[in-house]
Amino acid sequence: MTIRAVVRGVGHYLPERVVPNSEFEKTIETSDEWIRTRSGIERRHFAAEGENTSDLATRAAEAALADAGMTADDIDAIILATSTADLTFPSAATMVQARLGMTRGFAFDVQAVCAGFVFALANANALILSGQARRVMVIGAETFSRLMDWTDRGTCVLFGDGAGALVLEAQEGAGTTADRGILATDLHSDGRHRDILYVDGGTSTGTTGHLRMEGKEVFRHAIEKLAETAHSALDRAGLTGADVDWIVPHQANIRIIEGTAKRMQVPMDRVVVTVQDHGNTSAASIPLALSVGKARGQIKTGDLIVTEAIGGGLAWGAVVLRW
Ligand code: UT7
């Protein structure tokens, strides 16, 4: 008997305010054309004043619970991937736990920036396979608009706010690649690259700080590392690019998404793309894309999915799962 962490529900939440590229033309030297052609982004959502990461996460979690036909007390653990928790502590995950009315189990945040959801999924899988939890809510939620330097055109046009959530449940599988659930994970980090993507605030400065990025350098690492980690995860599962129904990548830049798909020899009509509507929502981008991909009718039960992401750290990784 093989235990698998199987997706039982999915949901997402996007703040009401939609900001088109043209809005930035009023305040900085940029153009809709530059943003579209260099990143693929057309619009993004920004959270309202007073609307925080735990609020977005709670709405996404409620949607995932409804999709799973479960209530909060059916869940044993919440793992929330975020780099923009409401407060330094307590974790945003415990705030979500309280807001959902969940009075049992445990909740904690995972911080691996844009790769956060992949790290959270791998941790949820480990909790389920080790028998520490049967049902885990895995959330990616961010308010990156709070980290922007609005005078830095190289970063402020790229990011957005949002949240997505999955409910995973322990189910028996046959131990083959035909099983539903998580089939393999592959995680990496290399702290030597901290200076190409970071936030210049925290306890060391007493400020929240602003996101700083050497975009070209991050781009170069992304193109190289994402296909590599996706291949490693597929390899571990005993599968190849030809078995993939959907790549559900981190949504940072359409050129990175296309470059990675090309290296994996997967055509773009098998890639879920949401970057045009959401921008880069960091740890929220993959669960948002999974939820939107299902709602669009792209992702169906039994489909083989590869998710991959890279972000500050650098931290990167991939998860192979059968929906
Ligand atoms: O999720 C975490 C991981 N993050 C990423 O994956 C982001 C990775 N990087 C990227 O997506 C791309 O590098 C960017 C979209 C950030 C930038 O694209 P690029 O093709 O690498 O452009 P660049 O940074 O080399 O900039 C090219 C030019 C520069 O002008 P000069 O020096 O050639 O005169 C920039 O100053 O474009 C200029 N530029 C802009 N122009 C208009 C930079 N930002 C803007 C802007 N509007 N918003």
Side-chain angles (χ1 to χ4, degrees), residues 130-156:
S130 64
Q132 293 175 82
R134 257 183 58 73
R135 289 176 175 154
V136 183
M137 171 75 74
V138 191
I139 310 170
E142 303 277 17
T143 46
F144 259 51
S145 63
R146 307 268 150 79
L147 299 178
M148 292 301 112
D149 170 351
W150 299 111
T151 65
D152 178 9
R153 67 177 184 172
T155 55
C156 73

mmCIF file of all heavy atoms in Angstrom, residues 130-156:
data_model
loop_
_atom_site.group_PDB
_atom_site.id
_atom_site.type_symbol
_atom_site.label_atom_id
_atom_site.label_comp_id
_atom_site.label_asym_id
_atom_site.label_seq_id
_atom_site.Cartn_x
_atom_site.Cartn_y
_atom_site.Cartn_z
ATOM 1 N N SER A 130 4.247 10.765 6.266
ATOM 2 C CA SER A 130 4.755 10.325 7.571
ATOM 3 C C SER A 130 3.630 10.080 8.573
ATOM 4 O O SER A 130 3.894 9.722 9.718
ATOM 5 C CB SER A 130 5.725 11.369 8.134
ATOM 6 O OG SER A 130 5.030 12.574 8.373
ATOM 7 N N GLY A 131 2.388 10.317 8.163
ATOM 8 C CA GLY A 131 1.257 10.025 9.037
ATOM 9 C C GLY A 131 0.974 11.112 10.069
ATOM 10 O O GLY A 131 0.137 10.919 10.953
ATOM 11 N N GLN A 132 1.643 12.275 9.953
ATOM 12 C CA GLN A 132 1.408 13.339 10.942
ATOM 13 C C GLN A 132 0.134 14.127 10.662
ATOM 14 O O GLN A 132 -0.361 14.842 11.530
ATOM 15 C CB GLN A 132 2.603 14.295 10.973
ATOM 16 C CG GLN A 132 3.856 13.621 11.513
ATOM 17 C CD GLN A 132 5.050 14.549 11.414
ATOM 18 O OE1 GLN A 132 5.240 15.398 12.261
ATOM 19 N NE2 GLN A 132 5.836 14.387 10.375
ATOM 20 N N ALA A 133 -0.354 14.035 9.435
ATOM 21 C CA ALA A 133 -1.602 14.716 9.071
ATOM 22 C C ALA A 133 -2.262 13.927 7.952
ATOM 23 O O ALA A 133 -1.571 13.330 7.123
ATOM 24 C CB ALA A 133 -1.307 16.140 8.611
ATOM 25 N N ARG A 134 -3.602 13.924 7.967
ATOM 26 C CA ARG A 134 -4.323 13.235 6.881
ATOM 27 C C ARG A 134 -4.808 14.243 5.835
ATOM 28 O O ARG A 134 -4.836 13.963 4.655
ATOM 29 C CB ARG A 134 -5.542 12.510 7.463
ATOM 30 C CG ARG A 134 -5.368 11.001 7.616
ATOM 31 C CD ARG A 134 -6.637 10.340 8.132
ATOM 32 N NE ARG A 134 -7.808 10.580 7.262
ATOM 33 C CZ ARG A 134 -7.980 10.015 6.077
ATOM 34 N NH1 ARG A 134 -7.068 9.189 5.593
ATOM 35 N NH2 ARG A 134 -9.065 10.274 5.367
ATOM 36 N N ARG A 135 -5.207 15.406 6.329
ATOM 37 C CA ARG A 135 -5.705 16.436 5.401
ATOM 38 C C ARG A 135 -4.965 17.741 5.658
ATOM 39 O O ARG A 135 -4.966 18.240 6.792
ATOM 40 C CB ARG A 135 -7.200 16.655 5.608
ATOM 41 C CG ARG A 135 -8.026 15.467 5.106
ATOM 42 C CD ARG A 135 -9.463 15.694 5.427
ATOM 43 N NE ARG A 135 -10.311 14.652 4.877
ATOM 44 C CZ ARG A 135 -11.496 14.317 5.394
ATOM 45 N NH1 ARG A 135 -11.939 14.933 6.468
ATOM 46 N NH2 ARG A 135 -12.220 13.374 4.829
ATOM 47 N N VAL A 136 -4.354 18.260 4.627
ATOM 48 C CA VAL A 136 -3.565 19.486 4.767
ATOM 49 C C VAL A 136 -4.070 20.538 3.778
ATOM 50 O O VAL A 136 -4.247 20.262 2.589
ATOM 51 C CB VAL A 136 -2.053 19.223 4.509
ATOM 52 C CG1 VAL A 136 -1.247 20.501 4.738
ATOM 53 C CG2 VAL A 136 -1.536 18.101 5.407
ATOM 54 N N MET A 137 -4.294 21.736 4.304
ATOM 55 C CA MET A 137 -4.625 22.902 3.469
ATOM 56 C C MET A 137 -3.306 23.592 3.116
ATOM 57 O O MET A 137 -2.560 23.999 4.016
ATOM 58 C CB MET A 137 -5.512 23.854 4.285
ATOM 59 C CG MET A 137 -5.753 25.185 3.635
ATOM 60 S SD MET A 137 -6.919 25.103 2.274
ATOM 61 C CE MET A 137 -8.459 24.914 3.176
ATOM 62 N N VAL A 138 -3.008 23.678 1.841
ATOM 63 C CA VAL A 138 -1.770 24.338 1.400
ATOM 64 C C VAL A 138 -2.169 25.623 0.669
ATOM 65 O O VAL A 138 -2.891 25.575 -0.331
ATOM 66 C CB VAL A 138 -0.948 23.438 0.449
ATOM 67 C CG1 VAL A 138 0.442 24.030 0.233
ATOM 68 C CG2 VAL A 138 -0.838 22.029 1.003
ATOM 69 N N ILE A 139 -1.683 26.738 1.188
ATOM 70 C CA ILE A 139 -2.095 28.048 0.641
ATOM 71 C C ILE A 139 -0.859 28.810 0.176
ATOM 72 O O ILE A 139 0.202 28.731 0.799
ATOM 73 C CB ILE A 139 -2.805 28.901 1.729
ATOM 74 C CG1 ILE A 139 -3.910 28.099 2.430
ATOM 75 C CG2 ILE A 139 -3.379 30.182 1.122
ATOM 76 C CD1 ILE A 139 -4.490 28.791 3.667
ATOM 77 N N GLY A 140 -0.996 29.532 -0.923
ATOM 78 C CA GLY A 140 0.003 30.529 -1.312
ATOM 79 C C GLY A 140 -0.719 31.867 -1.329
ATOM 80 O O GLY A 140 -1.754 31.987 -1.995
ATOM 81 N N ALA A 141 -0.244 32.844 -0.573
ATOM 82 C CA ALA A 141 -0.941 34.137 -0.510
ATOM 83 C C ALA A 141 0.089 35.250 -0.358
ATOM 84 O O ALA A 141 1.029 35.116 0.417
ATOM 85 C CB ALA A 141 -1.918 34.171 0.662
ATOM 86 N N GLU A 142 -0.114 36.326 -1.108
ATOM 87 C CA GLU A 142 0.866 37.414 -1.065
ATOM 88 C C GLU A 142 0.198 38.776 -1.284
ATOM 89 O O GLU A 142 -0.785 38.889 -2.026
ATOM 90 C CB GLU A 142 1.912 37.257 -2.187
ATOM 91 C CG GLU A 142 2.688 35.966 -2.204
ATOM 92 C CD GLU A 142 3.892 35.932 -1.254
ATOM 93 O OE1 GLU A 142 3.977 36.783 -0.338
ATOM 94 O OE2 GLU A 142 4.743 35.038 -1.468
ATOM 95 N N THR A 143 0.801 39.789 -0.689
ATOM 96 C CA THR A 143 0.492 41.189 -1.003
ATOM 97 C C THR A 143 1.826 41.871 -1.340
ATOM 98 O O THR A 143 2.335 42.675 -0.565
ATOM 99 C CB THR A 143 -0.204 41.897 0.188
ATOM 100 O OG1 THR A 143 0.504 41.575 1.397
ATOM 101 C CG2 THR A 143 -1.656 41.465 0.338
ATOM 102 N N PHE A 144 2.377 41.496 -2.498
ATOM 103 C CA PHE A 144 3.680 42.059 -2.902
ATOM 104 C C PHE A 144 3.586 43.562 -3.211
ATOM 105 O O PHE A 144 4.608 44.239 -3.253
ATOM 106 C CB PHE A 144 4.269 41.282 -4.094
ATOM 107 C CG PHE A 144 5.337 40.296 -3.666
ATOM 108 C CD1 PHE A 144 5.094 39.399 -2.638
ATOM 109 C CD2 PHE A 144 6.591 40.277 -4.270
ATOM 110 C CE1 PHE A 144 6.073 38.502 -2.215
ATOM 111 C CE2 PHE A 144 7.584 39.387 -3.863
ATOM 112 C CZ PHE A 144 7.324 38.494 -2.828
ATOM 113 N N SER A 145 2.350 44.060 -3.424
ATOM 114 C CA SER A 145 2.220 45.513 -3.669
ATOM 115 C C SER A 145 2.765 46.301 -2.479
ATOM 116 O O SER A 145 3.184 47.446 -2.633
ATOM 117 C CB SER A 145 0.761 45.881 -3.945
ATOM 118 O OG SER A 145 -0.034 45.589 -2.809
ATOM 119 N N ARG A 146 2.799 45.674 -1.297
ATOM 120 C CA ARG A 146 3.287 46.364 -0.082
ATOM 121 C C ARG A 146 4.818 46.440 -0.047
ATOM 122 O O ARG A 146 5.384 47.088 0.824
ATOM 123 C CB ARG A 146 2.796 45.622 1.166
ATOM 124 C CG ARG A 146 1.306 45.394 1.212
ATOM 125 C CD ARG A 146 0.554 46.518 1.948
ATOM 126 N NE ARG A 146 -0.795 46.731 1.447
ATOM 127 C CZ ARG A 146 -1.863 45.980 1.739
ATOM 128 N NH1 ARG A 146 -1.743 44.941 2.537
ATOM 129 N NH2 ARG A 146 -3.035 46.263 1.239
ATOM 130 N N LEU A 147 5.484 45.723 -0.969
ATOM 131 C CA LEU A 147 6.956 45.690 -0.974
ATOM 132 C C LEU A 147 7.547 46.503 -2.115
ATOM 133 O O LEU A 147 8.764 46.516 -2.307
ATOM 134 C CB LEU A 147 7.461 44.237 -1.103
ATOM 135 C CG LEU A 147 7.083 43.253 -0.002
ATOM 136 C CD1 LEU A 147 7.624 41.869 -0.333
ATOM 137 C CD2 LEU A 147 7.626 43.723 1.344
ATOM 138 N N MET A 148 6.676 47.177 -2.897
ATOM 139 C CA MET A 148 7.175 47.850 -4.095
ATOM 140 C C MET A 148 7.765 49.229 -3.803
ATOM 141 O O MET A 148 7.233 49.988 -2.993
ATOM 142 C CB MET A 148 6.028 48.014 -5.120
ATOM 143 C CG MET A 148 5.540 46.711 -5.714
ATOM 144 S SD MET A 148 6.836 45.817 -6.571
ATOM 145 C CE MET A 148 7.051 44.402 -5.503
ATOM 146 N N ASP A 149 8.848 49.525 -4.509
ATOM 147 C CA ASP A 149 9.373 50.887 -4.589
ATOM 148 C C ASP A 149 8.737 51.447 -5.864
ATOM 149 O O ASP A 149 9.115 51.052 -6.978
ATOM 150 C CB ASP A 149 10.904 50.828 -4.698
ATOM 151 C CG ASP A 149 11.516 52.190 -5.018
ATOM 152 O OD1 ASP A 149 10.768 53.140 -5.327
ATOM 153 O OD2 ASP A 149 12.754 52.283 -4.970
ATOM 154 N N TRP A 150 7.770 52.354 -5.707
ATOM 155 C CA TRP A 150 6.965 52.798 -6.853
ATOM 156 C C TRP A 150 7.756 53.689 -7.812
ATOM 157 O O TRP A 150 7.234 54.126 -8.828
ATOM 158 C CB TRP A 150 5.680 53.492 -6.377
ATOM 159 C CG TRP A 150 4.825 52.556 -5.576
ATOM 160 C CD1 TRP A 150 4.575 52.625 -4.236
ATOM 161 C CD2 TRP A 150 4.146 51.370 -6.038
ATOM 162 N NE1 TRP A 150 3.784 51.568 -3.831
ATOM 163 C CE2 TRP A 150 3.494 50.783 -4.920
ATOM 164 C CE3 TRP A 150 4.012 50.746 -7.282
ATOM 165 C CZ2 TRP A 150 2.749 49.617 -5.013
ATOM 166 C CZ3 TRP A 150 3.258 49.588 -7.373
ATOM 167 C CH2 TRP A 150 2.631 49.032 -6.240
ATOM 168 N N THR A 151 9.024 53.972 -7.473
ATOM 169 C CA THR A 151 9.858 54.736 -8.402
ATOM 170 C C THR A 151 10.781 53.805 -9.211
ATOM 171 O O THR A 151 11.488 54.256 -10.101
ATOM 172 C CB THR A 151 10.741 55.765 -7.654
ATOM 173 O OG1 THR A 151 11.666 55.050 -6.820
ATOM 174 C CG2 THR A 151 9.904 56.702 -6.807
ATOM 175 N N ASP A 152 10.782 52.519 -8.877
ATOM 176 C CA ASP A 152 11.672 51.565 -9.563
ATOM 177 C C ASP A 152 10.902 50.833 -10.663
ATOM 178 O O ASP A 152 10.219 49.840 -10.417
ATOM 179 C CB ASP A 152 12.241 50.571 -8.543
ATOM 180 C CG ASP A 152 13.137 49.518 -9.202
ATOM 181 O OD1 ASP A 152 13.452 49.668 -10.409
ATOM 182 O OD2 ASP A 152 13.497 48.546 -8.517
ATOM 183 N N ARG A 153 11.032 51.352 -11.893
ATOM 184 C CA ARG A 153 10.236 50.779 -12.999
ATOM 185 C C ARG A 153 10.641 49.351 -13.337
ATOM 186 O O ARG A 153 9.886 48.605 -13.961
ATOM 187 C CB ARG A 153 10.341 51.656 -14.238
ATOM 188 C CG ARG A 153 11.721 51.683 -14.870
ATOM 189 C CD ARG A 153 11.730 52.500 -16.131
ATOM 190 N NE ARG A 153 13.049 52.437 -16.768
ATOM 191 C CZ ARG A 153 13.304 52.920 -17.960
ATOM 192 N NH1 ARG A 153 12.356 53.511 -18.653
ATOM 193 N NH2 ARG A 153 14.521 52.813 -18.469
ATOM 194 N N GLY A 154 11.844 48.947 -12.921
ATOM 195 C CA GLY A 154 12.314 47.588 -13.200
ATOM 196 C C GLY A 154 11.642 46.528 -12.342
ATOM 197 O O GLY A 154 11.777 45.326 -12.616
ATOM 198 N N THR A 155 10.910 46.945 -11.292
ATOM 199 C CA THR A 155 10.232 45.952 -10.436
ATOM 200 C C THR A 155 8.744 46.244 -10.229
ATOM 201 O O THR A 155 7.938 45.323 -10.219
ATOM 202 C CB THR A 155 10.900 45.858 -9.038
ATOM 203 O OG1 THR A 155 10.923 47.172 -8.452
ATOM 204 C CG2 THR A 155 12.313 45.313 -9.123
ATOM 205 N N CYS A 156 8.382 47.535 -10.078
ATOM 206 C CA CYS A 156 7.019 47.820 -9.584
ATOM 207 C C CYS A 156 5.917 47.427 -10.561
ATOM 208 O O CYS A 156 4.767 47.260 -10.154
ATOM 209 C CB CYS A 156 6.881 49.272 -9.150
ATOM 210 S SG CYS A 156 6.839 50.469 -10.491
#
